Amino acid sequence: MGVKGFVEGGIASIVAGCSTHPLDLIKVRMQLQGESLPNPQQVHTAIPHNSVHIPPPPLPRVGPISAGVRIFQSEGVAALFSGVSATVLRQTLYSTTRMGLYDILKQKWTNPDSGNMPLLSKITAGLIAGGIGAAVGNPADVAMVRMQADGRLPSSQRRNYNSVIDAITRMSKQEGVASLWRGSSLTVNRAMIVTASQLASYDQIKEMILENGTMKDGLGTHVTASFAAGFVAAAASNPVDVIKTRVMNMKVEPGKVAPYSGAIDCAMKTVKAEGIMALYKGFIPTISRQGPFTVVLFVTLEQVRELLKDF
């Protein structure tokens, strides 16, 4: 039964991740809006001591539709699927692990009399499963963020990874193996929040719908419970997701100080420069992606469970 839970969760997660990848890419680009880009001309140009440096005006912030159109026009339709190979690997490692572990804990902690698991136990199971899954899948997560964000950099500064394997290999050689776990504390924290809120909310809301007799156990119940779970997960995880994206995407030049020394430093600099609401930057595309992702995830999961129920 344990292996079956991993297989079911893995299949559903890969389907959901690939089908909503363009929305995730737009979310990452929007989360990076307002973050200063390195100027290659400033690296080699000496600035007189008595000169006054006037920073260039910030680029206007755009919504998810405008961001998507801009990516399509400037980089082509294929750019909306930049990093999709990393998404497949991430879902294979991270989501398969978290879904399988949650299923195991759910079986162990479910009340045999009622057939339900207390909400606190659901949340605890989600925290444990999400944390372990994130630690396993962090290298793919870093690669995915970088591949998704590459198109916003000037041509001379793009990393131009060919695939997730190329990204992980080059990061290991150029920045050390430790770079594959850059931002891992944020990834783990975010994954714990997302998994606890997403899986626990889905199970709890589904149970409430069935117990109240509002709907029968079918597609309507699955869609309703999963969309509500997606909203809860998006609202709870967005601030950590913004900081995670920026820490993972930062470019560390040899011999130079990194833009951020860690998660707390990134959060403080972001809030100081852009305001507290910067932590909810990209929330619309986050919920626009988290909603469909969660719906596809759980609807697919329920169908896969039905197909594999005899195995």
Side-chain angles (χ1 to χ4, degrees):
M1 291 297 292
V3 174
K4 187 179 175 184
F6 284 93
V7 173
E8 293 170 345
I11 294 173
S13 298
I14 291 171
V15 171
C18 291
S19 60
T20 59
H21 183 81
L23 296 173
D24 193 50
L25 183 142
I26 292 171
K27 176 204 72 174
V28 167
R29 295 289 184 91
M30 290 189 69
Q31 288 176 337
L32 293 171
Q33 283 184 146
E35 185 182 45
S36 59
L37 289 171
N39 187 343
Q41 294 180 344
Q42 291 180 350
V43 175
H44 303 289
T45 304
I47 301 176
H49 293 292
N50 58 352
S51 66
V52 178
H53 175 62
I54 302 176
L59 294 174
R61 295 177 180 176
V62 297
I65 295 177
S66 298
V69 170
R70 180 177 294 181
I71 293 169
F72 173 77
Q73 291 177 337
S74 61
E75 303 172 47
V77 67
L80 293 172
F81 286 89
S82 296
V84 71
S85 61
T87 290
V88 173
L89 181 60
R90 177 178 181 268
Q91 298 300 338
T92 302
L93 297 175
Y94 159 62
S95 288
T96 300
T97 302
R98 74 177 183 125
M99 298 290 284
L101 288 176
Y102 181 83
D103 191 61
I104 290 174
L105 294 173
K106 184 178 176 180
Q107 291 177 37
K108 290 183 177 295
W109 296 347
T110 294
N111 188 315
D113 298 324
S114 65
N116 294 333
M117 182 166 64
L119 179 58
L120 183 59
S121 297
K122 293 187 182 84
I123 294 172
T124 304
L127 292 171
I128 295 171
I132 295 174
V136 172
N138 200 81
D141 207 2
V142 176
M144 183 184 72
V145 168
R146 289 191 173 197
M147 292 173 76
Q148 289 177 332
D150 212 32
R152 69 187 282 273
L153 295 170
S155 299
S156 61
Q157 299 175 24
R158 291 179 185 174
R159 300 177 176 105
N160 294 318
Y161 297 132
N162 296 322
S163 66
V164 63
I165 301 301
D166 179 49
I168 291 175
T169 302
R170 283 170 54 185
M171 285 173 61
S172 300
K173 291 180 179 179
Q174 297 170 3
E175 304 174 48
V177 176
S179 66
L180 298 177
W181 274 269
R182 179 173 294 159
S184 59
S185 61
L186 288 165
T187 306
V188 169
N189 289 335
R190 176 189 177 276
M192 292 173 70
I193 293 171
V194 168
T195 304
S197 56
Q198 186 185 65
L199 301 188
S201 295
Y202 176 77
D203 281 345
Q204 189 70 21
I205 294 169
K206 180 183 173 183
E207 288 174 9
M208 291 170 61
I209 291 174
L210 296 178
E211 288 175 357
N212 294 333
T214 308
M215 287 187 284
K216 295 182 179 180
D217 189 3
L219 184 61
T221 299
H222 302 159
V223 171
T224 302
S226 58
F227 191 82
F231 182 85
V232 173
S237 67
N238 203 86
V240 179
D241 199 29
V242 170
I243 303 305
K244 176 184 77 75
T245 296
R246 295 191 171 195
V247 170
M248 286 183 169
N249 185 61
M250 69 177 175
K251 197 167 187 177
V252 182
E253 299 288 346
K256 295 184 179 179
V257 179
Y260 309 117
S261 61
I264 302 300
D265 181 53
C266 179
M268 292 179 64
K269 287 180 177 177
T270 299
V271 172
K272 184 177 181 180
E274 304 167 51
I276 188 68
M277 289 309 296
L279 297 178
Y280 273 90
K281 189 172 289 184
F283 179 73
I284 298 301
T286 294
I287 186 58
S288 299
R289 183 260 180 186
Q290 192 69 259
F293 175 86
T294 309
V295 170
V296 175
L297 173 67
F298 286 114
V299 169
T300 304
L301 180 63
E302 297 284 3
Q303 298 306 310
V304 171
R305 282 175 175 168
E306 183 66 23
L307 290 172
L308 300 180
K309 65 180 180 180
D310 295 329
F311 289 92

